[in-house]
Structures are given as structure tokens and as C-alpha cells.
Amino acid sequence: MKNKIILWSCFILMSLTSFAQSISSSPYSLYGVGSLYESDFGYLPSTGSSGIALPSDIFINNLNPASLGFMYQNHFLFDIGGKAIATTYQSGNRSEKRNNFQFSHIAFAFPVTKKSGFSLSLRPYSSSVFKISNLKLPIADSQEYYYLTAQGSGGLNNLDFSYGYRFGKKLTLGATGTVLFGNTVDDRAFLIANTITTIHKKTDYSGVRAILGAQYKVDSTFTIGTTFKAPTRVKASKVQSVTSIADEVETSVETDKASDTDDYYMPLEMGFGISKRFKNNLNVTLDYEKSFWEDTKQSELYGDFVNQDRFALGFTYSTKKNVRKYWDRVGYAAGLSYDTGYLEVDGKRVNNASFSIGLNLPVDNTFSTLNVSYSYGQKGRIANDLIKENYHKISLNLSLDGIWFVKRKIE
């Protein structure tokens, strides 16, 4: 069982990775640096991405660096993940289906001392992969319209260095240094009257960000946690070419012109979470996060950035009646999530609601697990020029746990 699970998991994850960002994703990735990417480790995708108060004991908790202070001694954790998404896009009387296979993350963590741990992870921050054809949009202060055709690729990546330290037996503090890097390629064509203007733009981004976290174990069954993500500026520079076609005559306006462009601003974000375990092996997690996008004073031609609220509720359950029986060691999980969204288009929020279920499958004779989850959600709405997304998502995370520096005993 152990070898089969690991081999099949690696095969599926490598397959997902090979298709990463190969097929168009959300049209809302047209905005800013793209749609913010949901990349959660371990079984977090099954619990609605709730877990700010969970320790990094059996998996790497990327939601709170303070969780590393509760790592087990001599354990080395490795986590890799991918996901497959099937989405139906609806706008008015039109609908379209697309499939998207994506790499999620790769990470490892290990204890530094008896009271501290360190982790390193690489994951996407945003995805700007989209394709839009003949979108009808109004011209400002006019009764006329123009048509937009756009195609994009790329996005930003997170390289996270995290450290957590435990004070006594109950309090842990942690910090993450994030390096952000990447680029986006954007091709747009504007049809106004009988004139077509095309713009090809490649934008490079780079920046750093600090994240702080804390967890406090009230008792053996109840833990609270909090996070603080500092606002930061991600520097941007672009290379752009512009052409205009009118009366079948093509005119080059710009050719590979390099210049600075508007920087991207990440907002102040604060989160709070609780984790409560009950005697029947049921664990409940509840998270709330607030992102102050309005303070970044960013706006888009087609919309505005607004403050965002996110709520997540998760449940995990394991019978553990007989540890020698495989299915008694399997964990079950479910979750709900609601996000008000950080974009507002024509006065309408692009919100996101989802539910998820999952299994935590142990690998025989090890502390490793395979986490499989299914999620269904809706993003946006059908109104004016907005698009509604209905998506089905399968996430697969392989959490490997190796034991270091422990001598084997031969009986």
C-alpha cells in the first residue's frame, strides 16, 4: 500500500505540473497581476482553507509561520501538491467550459531546536492566464461601445522563508520573509468604430514582504492564532509595442519600448483563527481574514480594488478505534468558505463561495499522508458585463514525514 500510494501520487502530481497554466483560467485574472492563487498545504484544501490556529505537527501549515514552533523533534516534512479545475463560465446567454491543471506548491520543513522550526516553500501568488473574445464595453461619458479581445499568461510567485519559535509550552511566534517575482504577458486588441489598436505588453515584477504570526494553546484541546501581513510595494517595469490599423493601413506607434509602469501594492492583511478538538476526535477550525485593499489606492480601467473579508469553517474527524486497521486511521474533512472579493466591477463585488470534502490517507508504516479533496464553488455573478464561474476542483497533496537521527532498534 505504501509504495503504491507514493508512486501514484508522484505520477499524478508530475502530470498536473506538466500541464501547469497550459489552459486558460479565470477571466478575472485580467485585473492587476492576475487572480490571487489558492495554494494550501496538507489537508487544508478540505477544510475550506481554515487553519490559522493549527500546529505544524503532521503537515506544513502555510497559513501561520508560528505553527512551526510546535513541530515534532527529528521529523522532516515535505509537501508537494497540484490541482485540476473544471470551470463553466456564464455571461448572459453564453456559456463556456474550460479545464485547468495547475501546480500548487512544493515545500519542506524541519525543527531547528527543541522549540523552533524552519520551512522553505515555493508557490504561485497569482495567475494571469486568460482569454477573452469580443467583450462589449461602454466608452466612458458616452453612449458608444468598444470591443475588447485579450489574452494573457504568467503571474507572480512566492518564495517563503519561515521560522517559528515556542516560548514555554503554550505560546509560539513566527515570521515569514517572502520574495515575490514573476512576469505577465498581455495582448489586447481594441475595436473602436473602424479602428483596431493592438497592445503587446510584458511586465516584470519583484518585491519582498514580511508576515508575522502567533499561536497560543489555551489547553490541550483549544488553540487560537493570529497573522499579520505587512503592506508592501511590488516594483514593476514593462516592455510594450503598440500598433494601429485603420482603413487597412497598419501604423506602428511603439516598438519594444521599455519603461516603468504602475507598481503593484499588496495590502495590510490580518487574520484570526481558532481550533477546538472534541473528545470524539472531531476538530473544528474557524478563520476570519481582513484585507485592506482600499488603502492601496489602486484601480483598474474596468474595476476598483475594495476591502476584502474572508470566512472559513472546517471540520476533521478520525475514528482511531484500532490503529492496526487502515480505515480506522483514515481522516475525513469538510469545509465552507466565503470571500467577499477584492474587486468591484460596475458596483458589483466579485465574491467567491465554496464547500469542500476530503480524505487524509495514511501511508502504511510511516507518518506520511496523501490528502485528496474535492471542492465546488461559485465566483462572480451574471450582471451587466460580469461573468459567473462555477467550478469543480480536485486537490492532491502528498505530505511526506521522515524521521531524522533516530537509530533503528533490531529486535
Side-chain angles (χ1 to χ4, degrees):
M1 175 69 76
K2 168 187 173 182
N3 292 332
K4 287 183 179 180
I5 290 179
I6 293 178
L7 287 175
W8 276 106
S9 301
C10 291
F11 172 76
I12 296 173
L13 289 172
M14 286 188 293
S15 299
L16 291 175
T17 303
S18 67
F19 283 104
Q21 296 187 352
S22 61
I23 303 174
S24 297
S25 60
S26 173
Y28 290 112
S29 62
L30 174 74
Y31 297 87
V33 295
S35 297
L36 300 190
Y37 200 91
E38 295 180 0
S39 180
D40 297 315
F41 303 176
Y43 60 80
L44 293 178
S46 303
T47 60
S49 299
S50 62
I52 290 177
L54 291 175
S56 287
D57 47 8
I58 59 174
F59 76 102
I60 304 172
N61 182 1
N62 62 295
L63 298 180
N64 192 342
S67 63
L68 295 166
F70 288 116
M71 280 197 69
Y72 292 143
Q73 286 298 294
N74 302 317
H75 284 245
F76 178 91
L77 301 178
F78 177 81
D79 208 296
I80 185 171
K83 53 188 174 182
I85 306 174
T87 309
T88 300
Y89 301 94
Q90 295 177 293
S91 177
N93 296 323
R94 298 177 57 186
S95 66
E96 181 178 345
K97 294 183 178 181
R98 298 178 188 172
N99 298 320
N100 197 358
F101 303 91
Q102 302 173 339
F103 165 74
S104 175
H105 65 272
I106 184 169
F108 66 85
F110 56 87
V112 178
T113 67
K114 292 182 179 180
K115 295 184 177 182
S116 65
F118 172 83
S119 72
L120 175 65
S121 66
L122 176 64
R123 56 192 175 90
Y125 169 76
S126 67
S127 175
S128 184
V129 183
F130 58 88
K131 186 175 182 180
I132 298 174
S133 300
N134 297 321
L135 179 62
K136 185 178 180 181
L137 295 169
I139 298 176
D141 302 322
S142 172
Q143 299 297 319
E144 302 297 325
Y145 291 85
Y146 69 94
Y147 293 87
L148 168 68
T149 297
Q151 183 170 335
S153 61
L156 268 64
N157 301 292
N158 270 350
L159 180 61
D160 296 333
F161 301 85
S162 301
Y163 179 78
Y165 187 87
R166 187 175 78 252
F167 296 86
K169 296 182 179 181
K170 294 187 174 183
L171 175 65
T172 64
L173 300 178
T176 297
T178 296
V179 179
L180 294 120
F181 62 95
N183 62 70
T184 60
V185 177
D186 192 323
D187 289 288
R188 302 191 187 189
F190 301 87
L191 174 60
I192 304 175
N194 295 320
T195 301
I196 300 176
T197 301
T198 63
I199 301 176
H200 172 80
K201 180 174 64 174
K202 180 181 179 182
T203 308
D204 293 298
Y205 297 92
S206 62
V208 295
R209 191 185 201 187
I211 301 173
L212 302 177
Q215 287 185 346
Y216 183 76
K217 190 171 287 188
V218 180
D219 57 41
S220 60
T221 66
F222 184 55
T223 305
I224 59 175
T226 185
T227 56
F228 175 91
K229 300 179 181 179
T232 191
R233 181 179 69 177
V234 180
K235 295 182 179 179
S237 61
K238 68 177 180 180
V239 176
Q240 180 172 282
S241 297
V242 181
T243 61
S244 178
I245 302 174
D247 299 326
E248 300 183 353
V249 177
E250 181 174 330
T251 303
S252 179
V253 181
E254 291 180 353
T255 303
D256 294 333
K257 182 179 179 181
S259 63
D260 293 330
T261 187
D262 292 338
D263 294 333
Y264 177 71
Y265 291 87
M266 300 173 69
L268 166 67
E269 299 180 72
M270 295 187 294
F272 177 79
I274 60 174
S275 174
K276 174 64 177 177
R277 189 178 75 252
F278 297 90
K279 291 182 179 181
N280 59 354
N281 296 319
L282 172 68
N283 195 85
V284 179
T285 51
L286 178 64
D287 287 4
Y288 168 72
E289 294 178 275
K290 179 80 172 184
S291 302
F292 297 89
W293 286 96
E294 290 181 8
D295 293 342
T296 66
K297 302 187 185 304
Q298 296 178 108
S299 63
E300 282 281 333
L301 177 61
Y302 314 111
D304 298 300
F305 288 82
V306 293
N307 290 341
Q308 177 184 23
D309 297 284
R310 182 179 175 276
F311 307 86
L313 175 65
F315 305 89
T316 60
Y317 178 77
S318 178
T319 59
K320 294 183 179 179
K321 292 180 180 179
N322 187 343
V323 294
R324 293 186 179 183
K325 293 184 178 180
Y326 183 81
W327 288 103
D328 280 354
R329 291 185 288 117
V330 170
Y332 305 88
L336 299 169
S337 176
Y338 178 73
D339 180 355
T340 62
Y342 62 95
L343 285 174
E344 188 174 83
V345 182
D346 290 337
K348 304 293 184 180
R349 288 284 190 116
V350 183
N351 55 12
N352 186 7
S354 67
F355 78 89
S356 56
I357 55 175
L359 292 175
N360 180 275
L361 302 172
V363 179
D364 282 352
N365 302 318
T366 71
F367 293 99
S368 303
T369 58
L370 173 65
N371 300 282
V372 183
S373 71
Y374 163 78
S375 302
Y376 171 76
Q378 295 183 349
K379 182 178 181 180
R381 68 183 74 190
I382 300 175
N384 298 331
D385 297 310
L386 294 184
I387 296 173
K388 181 180 180 180
E389 302 179 17
N390 296 280
Y391 59 86
H392 302 267
K393 178 170 63 177
I394 295 178
S395 299
L396 184 65
N397 292 343
L398 180 61
S399 300
L400 299 177
D401 187 345
I403 300 178
W404 287 9
F405 311 122
V406 176
K407 293 183 179 181
R408 288 184 177 270
K409 294 182 180 181
I410 301 176
E411 297 181 355

